[in-house]
Amino acid sequence: MSVHDLDFITKKLNELKEQGVYRKLTVLESPSEARSIINGKKVINLSSNNYLGLANHPRLKKASLEAVEKWGVGAGAVRTIIGNMSIHEELEKRLAEFKHVEAVLTFQSGFTANAGVIAAVVDKGDVIISDELNHASIIDGCRLSRADVIRYKHSDLEDLERVINEVKDNYNTKLIITDGVFSMDGDIAKLPEIVELAEKYGCLTYVDDAHASGVLGKSGRGSADHFGLHGRVDIQIGTLSKAIGVVGGYVAGRKNLIEWLNHRGRPFLFSTAVPPSAAAACLEAINILSESTELTDKLWENSRYMKKALNDLGFNTGKSETPITPVIAGEDKLAIELSKRLFEEGVFAQSIVFPTVPRGAARVRIMVTAAHSKKDLDEAIKAFEKVGRELNLIK
Ligand SMILES: *Cc1c(COP(=O)(O)O)cnc(C)c1O
């Protein structure tokens, strides 16, 4: 045995295997679209975050290719040295208009946006009040800050108020953080009530709209737009990697906040900017969304159609209010079997099990997109009906 064998890692991998949580990656062998080639088979893809079908949209591809010709393939440096191309600035200006905010700063991803922004706005002596189901990148961002973190029960306003009262006056800045749309159940944060509590007690609000960007609000302007809360949510995070179809993240808010992050948002300062072609494709996506609400309308129409069909068949879709639709099976094994059988019937729907979701709430999680046709959906519904009966999930 040699020290180079990394034996301690093999041991940990074996533990994962014993716990039944070791997994292999699924391989996508085509663009992400309504019907994709997955592990060698063309199936209806119900698991992507490509909500609007923009990841393989002709206009985005064209914009991206043109940008490669004009700008090359890389930004060449971090934004703060000489990687700040005018295409990056144009995207930020356009996003700020789209979001109706003073300013926007883009990051390399939604993940780095959370990791950078939280740590830059709160510090020792401050407190973060965080929904217990917030995304991993928020949790990491909280850890990177030196603020205290207190969690409140998921979307529980009474518990939120209890925590606010508990921390009263012991801290300088009090920052309430929530996902806009929760990724496992597809429920929407109670933002109007959260903002009201925040205003009553002098807290700031921070909403991570990763699954709301391109989905909620007019043409996907996000949850603040959905609830008519413009100017009352202090920090809005968005992603360009899900519905927008490309890659990147951004923060939207006041000018002083954006200027501060320009100096203190660590991933912005110390990691190279996204390729100009990515910025150009994002810009074209925002253009498309600004022209009409056609794509978001189609997304919602499709997801309502699918959810109703699944509910009519007797499936349990939990408390979903968005295109994220869990089909809850119960035991882990059952959810894994459901996913496997659906794949054999021509539908890819990823299973999600403990510890990502609580025990007994294992599921397949589906995202219908604007790119799915009625035929795609009807075929998928048929497969769910057949497999659901087989596994006794429905009668
Ligand atoms: C996906 C996701 C992110 C990360 O966004 P990327 O752009 O993929 O890095 C952050 N927050 C939430 C809530 C998410 O669902």
Side-chain angles (χ1 to χ4, degrees):
M1 205 183 83
S2 134
V3 65
H4 301 299
D5 289 345
L6 307 185
D7 238 22
F8 70 104
I9 290 181
T10 306
K11 256 190 213 140
K12 287 186 190 177
L13 283 168
N14 287 336
E15 279 168 28
L16 293 184
K17 286 174 186 167
E18 278 158 27
Q19 293 157 16
V21 294
Y22 178 89
R23 49 139 188 74
K24 288 221 165 72
L25 292 176
T26 301
V27 183
L28 179 61
E29 292 157 305
S30 71
S32 178
E33 50 194 349
R35 290 183 192 241
S36 298
I37 303 172
I38 296 175
N39 288 342
K41 183 175 169 182
K42 187 150 192 175
V43 291
I44 299 166
N45 179 1
L46 288 182
S47 289
S48 86
N49 295 319
N50 180 21
Y51 289 107
L52 301 174
L54 290 172
N56 193 35
H57 193 287
R59 277 179 62 182
L60 270 72
K61 289 202 282 191
K62 183 163 178 284
S64 177
L65 288 168
E66 283 172 7
V68 168
E69 292 296 341
K70 180 169 179 193
W71 297 96
V73 295
V78 297
R79 298 274 301 274
T80 48
I81 307 288
I82 190 59
N84 179 41
M85 292 171 153
S86 50
I87 188 92
H88 295 123
E89 295 226 326
E90 204 182 327
L91 173 61
E92 288 168 345
K93 191 163 161 275
R94 199 82 181 75
L95 277 170
E97 288 163 8
F98 182 72
K99 295 282 290 181
H100 306 304
V101 292
E102 285 181 7
V104 158
L105 192 71
T106 54
F107 284 76
Q108 299 84 351
S109 69
F111 197 108
T112 56
N114 278 324
V117 175
I118 298 171
V121 295
V122 288
D123 203 344
K124 218 177 168 63
D126 299 329
V127 65
I128 298 165
I129 304 169
S130 178
D131 188 290
E132 65 181 351
L133 292 190
N134 278 344
H135 189 258
S137 56
I138 294 178
I139 295 169
D140 286 12
C142 292
R143 282 190 193 141
L144 288 169
S145 83
R146 296 187 303 158
D148 284 347
V149 182
I150 305 180
R151 303 199 306 173
Y152 63 94
K153 286 193 196 127
H154 174 53
S155 274
D156 183 332
L157 298 165
E158 260 175 46
D159 200 47
L160 172 59
E161 190 160 12
R162 177 190 66 77
V163 172
I164 296 173
N165 275 315
E166 219 173 81
V167 303
K168 231 183 190 172
D169 304 330
N170 298 336
Y171 292 95
N172 304 319
T173 301
K174 291 166 279 189
L175 180 65
I176 302 172
I177 306 188
T178 181
D179 278 19
V181 171
F182 289 86
S183 58
M184 287 305 140
D185 290 299
D187 53 323
I188 301 175
K190 295 172 182 154
L191 209 52
E193 291 85 356
I194 292 173
V195 166
E196 235 166 71
L197 279 176
E199 288 172 349
K200 180 173 167 192
Y201 292 104
C203 306
L204 297 182
T205 44
Y206 181 119
V207 60
D208 176 358
D209 261 347
H211 280 286
S213 311
V215 175
L216 272 190
K218 188 176 178 227
S219 268
R221 282 171 170 78
S223 46
D225 187 81
H226 172 74
F227 286 116
L229 294 169
H230 291 291
R232 294 173 67 193
V233 177
D234 301 289
I235 303 173
Q236 299 180 62
I237 301 293
T239 183
L240 302 164
S241 327
K242 289 181 171 132
I244 303 306
V246 193
V247 71
Y250 62 88
V251 51
R254 290 252 182 238
K255 219 168 157 190
N256 56 2
L257 168 73
I258 301 309
E259 275 177 40
W260 177 243
L261 293 168
N262 219 293
H263 291 85
R264 287 290 184 276
R266 289 173 69 83
F268 179 83
L269 281 102
F270 298 112
S271 180
T272 299
V274 294
S277 55
C282 292
L283 197 52
E284 189 64 0
I286 301 304
N287 288 340
I288 291 173
L289 294 181
S290 303
E291 284 162 19
S292 89
T293 59
E294 191 185 325
L295 285 179
T296 39
D297 291 348
K298 187 78 197 298
L299 167 68
W300 282 90
E301 185 192 319
N302 277 351
S303 66
R304 285 194 187 104
Y305 181 80
M306 186 73 176
K307 209 174 304 190
K308 179 168 188 310
L310 290 171
N311 289 331
D312 287 350
L313 283 171
F315 284 106
N316 174 8
T317 59
K319 46 188 179 170
S320 165
E321 305 169 82
T322 62
I324 298 176
T325 307
V327 178
I328 297 168
E331 294 308 311
D332 289 359
K333 269 198 183 128
L334 199 51
I336 292 165
E337 184 61 18
L338 174 61
S339 171
K340 186 171 153 255
R341 283 288 299 119
L342 284 168
F343 188 75
E344 286 162 5
E345 298 296 328
V347 173
F348 184 80
Q350 180 70 54
S351 60
I352 299 177
V353 300
F354 182 82
T356 310
V357 292
R359 273 199 206 288
R363 63 197 61 190
V364 302
R365 183 185 58 160
I366 62 174
M367 272 90 137
V368 170
T369 74
H372 287 101
S373 65
K374 276 273 146 60
K375 185 166 173 285
D376 296 328
L377 299 182
D378 287 336
E379 268 183 56
I381 291 160
K382 273 230 170 72
F384 266 98
E385 183 176 9
K386 180 174 177 194
V387 176
R389 289 229 166 88
E390 239 178 67
L391 299 178
N392 278 322
L393 288 169
I394 55 169
K395 290 205 185 81

